[in-house]
Each structure stands twice: as C-alpha cells, then as structure tokens.
Amino acid sequence: MADETPSDSKLTRTKEKWAREGRFLTGKITRPEEQRLPPGQHLTRDWPVLDLGVMPPVSRDRWRLDAYGAIETPVFWTFAEFAAQKQDRFTSDIHCVTTWSRYDNLWEGLATRELLAACRPREDARFVVLHSYDGYTTNLALDDFAAEDALLAHSWSGQPLTQEYGGPVRLVVPHLYFWKSAKWLQAIEFLTEDAPGFWEVRGYHNRGDPWAEQRYSGD
C-alpha cells in the first residue's frame, strides 16, 4: 500500500504549535524552575475561593454539558456519559489574576482535545465561550482551549471537585489566568467570531497570559 500523508487540519497545526513551544507529553511547559512563577505573583499553599457570590447547587445527577455552535457533532452529555469518555490526569499550576499562584495541582477529567475530537469543530471555528451554571461566561481562542494540558476537570488531588471549587465539572486551562477556567461548567459554545465574557467586558484582558501580565484591557 502506498504511503499516505495525513491531510492538514486545525488539530494537526495546533499539535505542531505545541511542539514548537516545547511541551512535554505530560502537558507541562519546558519552563525553567526559576521562571515558573509569573511576574507579580506570590505562592500560596491554600486555594482561595473566588466567584460571583452565587454557588449553584448542581449535583452530578443533575449536571449536563452541552457543546454546540460551529461544530459538526453537537454534544449533550449527562455526567455518566461524560465520565464514560477517555479520562486523563494532569499536574499543573494555578495562576490567579489576584496575584496568587499554587503549584502542583493534580486534576482528573476529560482533556479538551478529546472533546474536540468528539464534536469536530468546523474549519471556521476560532473561539469558544464557556457558560456556567451561575450565569458566568468567559471566552477563549480555540487554540488556547485546545492546549495539551487543558481539561474539563471533575477531580482534584484524587477527590471529586467540591462545589466551592467548581464541581461537578470545571474547565482548567493552566497557561492562562484562572478566571478563564470557568467553574460549574454548563455549556461550551463554538464561535467563528470572538465574544468577550463577564470579566472581559468589565475591563479584564481578553486573553489573560500570566507571563505577559495580561491582567486588564490596557496591559
């Protein structure tokens, strides 16, 4: 059989980008230890609780995840259906825009790249908006959402995510400030054009790269 070269695709181009950036298979960036803490951050052993003041009482039995918009295959999963997908574990750091960072958080859940394989974004899809059960929204470029160590997490440090930390399921995108990692995830909307979310329309940076100190819209 003649050799066949796989067709170029958005996922292929994204994985090539990961390789150029020097990501290990574990999802960690090849960043020296002395550069691990972004500028303006301080370490904490605690995990401060920050939200909009509303903690939606969503149990695993009642939780649903919808993925829709500029995709070929919309997804509507119960927690059982979500948990039946291939699960991954990643260890990553948290960097909050309020200047604290926490190292070595062990997450378990569905890697975002597995969700992308299931829902198949269209070629014109460029962004996602995360919708939470408390009404919160935040936007991400599709490339950021597809990062190798990004996942829809249901567990932290070997235990189910508690309600205060975003359980049953939250997004985790470690390379951006943590307001981008929406708690109490309800829906993922795929878009062809950007649509800033709750904090982004209130003066926060549209992307939120901790190493560039992209905290506010003027940064």
Side-chain angles (χ1 to χ4, degrees):
M1 182 181 294
D3 291 340
E4 295 183 1
T5 301
S7 61
D8 188 29
S9 69
K10 186 178 299 180
L11 185 58
T12 299
R13 293 191 295 272
T14 297
K15 288 188 173 182
E16 289 174 345
K17 179 173 179 286
W18 294 338
R20 289 194 300 271
E21 291 174 347
R23 292 181 184 271
F24 291 118
L25 293 178
T26 59
K28 288 190 175 182
I29 305 282
T30 56
R31 192 179 300 277
E33 182 67 25
E34 65 271 16
Q35 298 178 20
R36 187 176 178 184
L37 188 67
Q41 298 292 110
H42 68 275
L43 282 178
T44 180
R45 293 182 179 274
D46 299 324
W47 185 359
V49 177
L50 300 172
D51 52 50
L52 300 183
V54 178
M55 197 176 296
V58 182
S59 67
R60 287 189 171 189
D61 289 341
R62 293 180 53 239
W63 182 83
R64 300 290 185 275
L65 177 68
D66 299 342
Y68 58 89
I71 56 177
E72 300 293 341
T73 308
V75 165
F76 306 100
W77 282 335
T78 64
F79 187 86
E81 291 167 331
F82 166 79
Q85 310 303 311
K86 179 180 179 293
Q87 302 292 296
D88 282 287
R89 290 184 178 182
F90 294 122
T91 298
S92 61
D93 301 338
I94 295 172
H95 306 298
C96 181
V97 71
T98 59
T99 76
W100 59 265
S101 294
R102 190 182 193 281
Y103 286 170
D104 296 326
N105 298 273
L106 174 61
W107 309 100
E108 183 176 355
L110 178 72
T112 56
R113 64 182 183 272
E114 297 292 341
L115 174 69
L116 295 175
C119 68
R120 298 186 300 148
R122 298 191 328 229
E123 278 297 316
D124 59 347
R126 295 289 183 272
F127 302 93
V128 296
V129 171
L130 293 307
H131 298 265
S132 300
Y133 274 93
D134 64 342
Y136 179 76
T137 59
T138 191
N139 58 314
L140 290 166
L142 187 57
D143 283 348
D144 284 323
F145 180 76
E148 191 176 12
D149 53 357
L151 79 165
L152 313 181
H154 58 70
S155 295
W156 174 75
S157 294
Q159 298 295 323
L161 267 177
T162 60
Q163 184 183 16
E164 63 181 341
Y165 291 123
V169 176
R170 70 171 300 151
L171 180 67
V172 175
V173 181
H175 70 283
L176 299 179
Y177 282 125
F178 218 48
W179 91 77
K180 290 291 187 177
S181 296
K183 291 181 174 183
W184 308 301
L185 190 60
Q186 181 178 31
I188 303 169
E189 182 180 8
F190 290 78
L191 300 174
T192 59
E193 297 183 0
D194 200 9
F198 181 89
W199 286 120
E200 292 79 16
V201 300
R202 290 168 169 81
Y204 280 70
H205 198 276
N206 199 53
R207 181 162 187 254
D209 180 349
W211 286 271
E213 290 198 87
Q214 293 176 339
R215 302 176 191 275
Y216 307 111
S217 57
D219 294 337

